[in-house]
Amino acid sequence: MPSKMSGLVLAGIAAYGTSTVYTAFTAVGGGLAGLSTGRSVSNRGTSSSSQQSSRSEPSFGTSTAGVCVLGAAAAALGVAAGRRSAGRQGVSRAANPRKFNEQLPCSSGPFSVTVGKAGPSSFSILIAGLEKAGLTSALDGDGPFTLFAPDDKAFEAAGLTAEAVLAHPDLVTILKMHVLPGAIVAKGFKNQTVETLGGPVAMRKGVKGVMMNKAVINKADVEIANGIMHILGGVILP
C-alpha cells in the first residue's frame, strides 16, 4: 500500500517531469547532504561508536534521498495550490461580496466597480427601472443569478433617459432580458443563445468583444454574493 508521501512524490513527478524533479531536488539534496558531511567532519572528536551509529542510520532530513522525497512532496503541494488559485482567477472578488441590490448603488467607495478609463460605474437608471418593474425583490433571492447590468453611460449611449426607461411599455420584459438564472462566467462565453428571464438573447463573440444582442460586455465577472454581474456598454433590447 503506497504511503501518502509516495503519492505526493508521484504527483510532483507527474507535474514537473521525472528528470526535472530528480535533477532539481537531487542537487538540493546533495547540497544539504554536503553541509551535513561538513558538520560530521568537524565533530570527529566524538567516539568511534557514535560515528559508526551515525553512518549506519543516516538522518532522513539531511540525506539526499530524504531531501528529494520532501522536495517532490513540496512540489506536488505547490502544484495543487497553484491549480486552486488559478481556478479562482478571472473573477473580481470583493472582500465581502454583496447582493445585487446592495452592490448596484455603490458608485463610490471600496465596492464601486470601475470599467477601464471610464471610471466607476453608476446604475441609478437601472435601479429605478428595477424598482418600478417590481424586480428588486427577485434579486434579493439566494440565486445564483447572472445580471447583465447596463450602467448609466450605457443607457445614455442607447438614447434612453431615466424618464424614457421608466415610461417604456416593455420595461419589465427588457429588464428581465438582463437577468439569467444560474451563474455564467466569462470563460463560459461563446456563440450561443441564452435563455434569460425575458426570453432568448443571442451571445456572440466579435471584434468589439462579447455581445448580448447588440450590447457589448465592457467588464465581466464581478462577483456578487448571490451571483455574477457583467457590466454592459449598451442595453439589451428585443
Side-chain angles (χ1 to χ4, degrees):
M1 176 76 65
S3 65
K4 291 184 179 180
M5 183 64 73
S6 299
L8 289 172
V9 172
L10 292 175
I13 292 174
Y16 288 96
T18 304
S19 60
T20 303
V21 171
Y22 180 82
T23 301
F25 289 110
T26 298
V28 175
L32 292 177
L35 292 176
S36 176
T37 302
R39 287 193 297 269
S40 177
V41 170
S42 66
N43 294 327
R44 285 180 178 173
T46 59
S47 66
S48 58
S49 60
S50 297
Q51 292 174 356
Q52 183 177 0
S53 174
S54 176
R55 285 194 299 269
S56 61
E57 296 181 10
S59 170
F60 177 82
T62 57
S63 69
T64 301
V67 173
C68 286
V69 171
L70 290 175
L77 291 174
V79 170
R83 286 176 179 169
R84 287 194 298 271
S85 177
R88 292 191 296 268
Q89 291 177 356
V91 177
S92 302
R93 295 183 178 274
N96 297 293
R98 299 181 170 194
K99 289 188 174 182
F100 290 109
N101 293 327
E102 298 170 320
Q103 172 64 54
L104 289 175
C106 297
S107 57
S108 61
F111 291 96
S112 64
V113 181
T114 299
V115 181
K117 296 180 180 180
S121 289
S122 58
F123 299 93
S124 60
I125 298 177
L126 177 60
I127 292 170
L130 290 170
E131 289 175 348
K132 181 169 183 179
L135 297 175
T136 53
S137 59
L139 293 179
D140 272 332
D142 293 334
F145 308 105
T146 300
L147 176 63
F148 298 96
D151 59 13
D152 290 342
K153 300 183 185 70
F155 281 103
E156 294 168 5
L160 295 171
T161 63
E163 292 77 14
V165 170
L166 296 179
H168 201 289
D170 296 323
L171 174 63
V172 175
T173 298
I174 289 174
L175 292 180
K176 282 185 175 181
M177 292 178 72
H178 293 77
V179 182
L180 180 71
I184 178 172
V185 296
K187 64 182 179 181
F189 291 169
K190 59 183 178 180
N191 294 335
Q192 61 183 320
T193 299
V194 296
E195 287 294 334
T196 69
L197 296 181
V201 172
M203 176 183 285
R204 295 289 180 267
K205 287 187 173 182
V207 293
K208 294 182 179 180
V210 179
M211 311 282 290
M212 299 296 294
N213 283 356
K214 295 183 179 180
V216 66
I217 298 176
N218 282 340
K219 185 179 182 65
D221 288 349
V222 179
E223 185 189 37
I224 307 297
N226 55 344
I228 294 289
M229 182 169 73
H230 310 296
I231 300 177
L232 297 181
V235 180
I236 302 173
L237 298 171

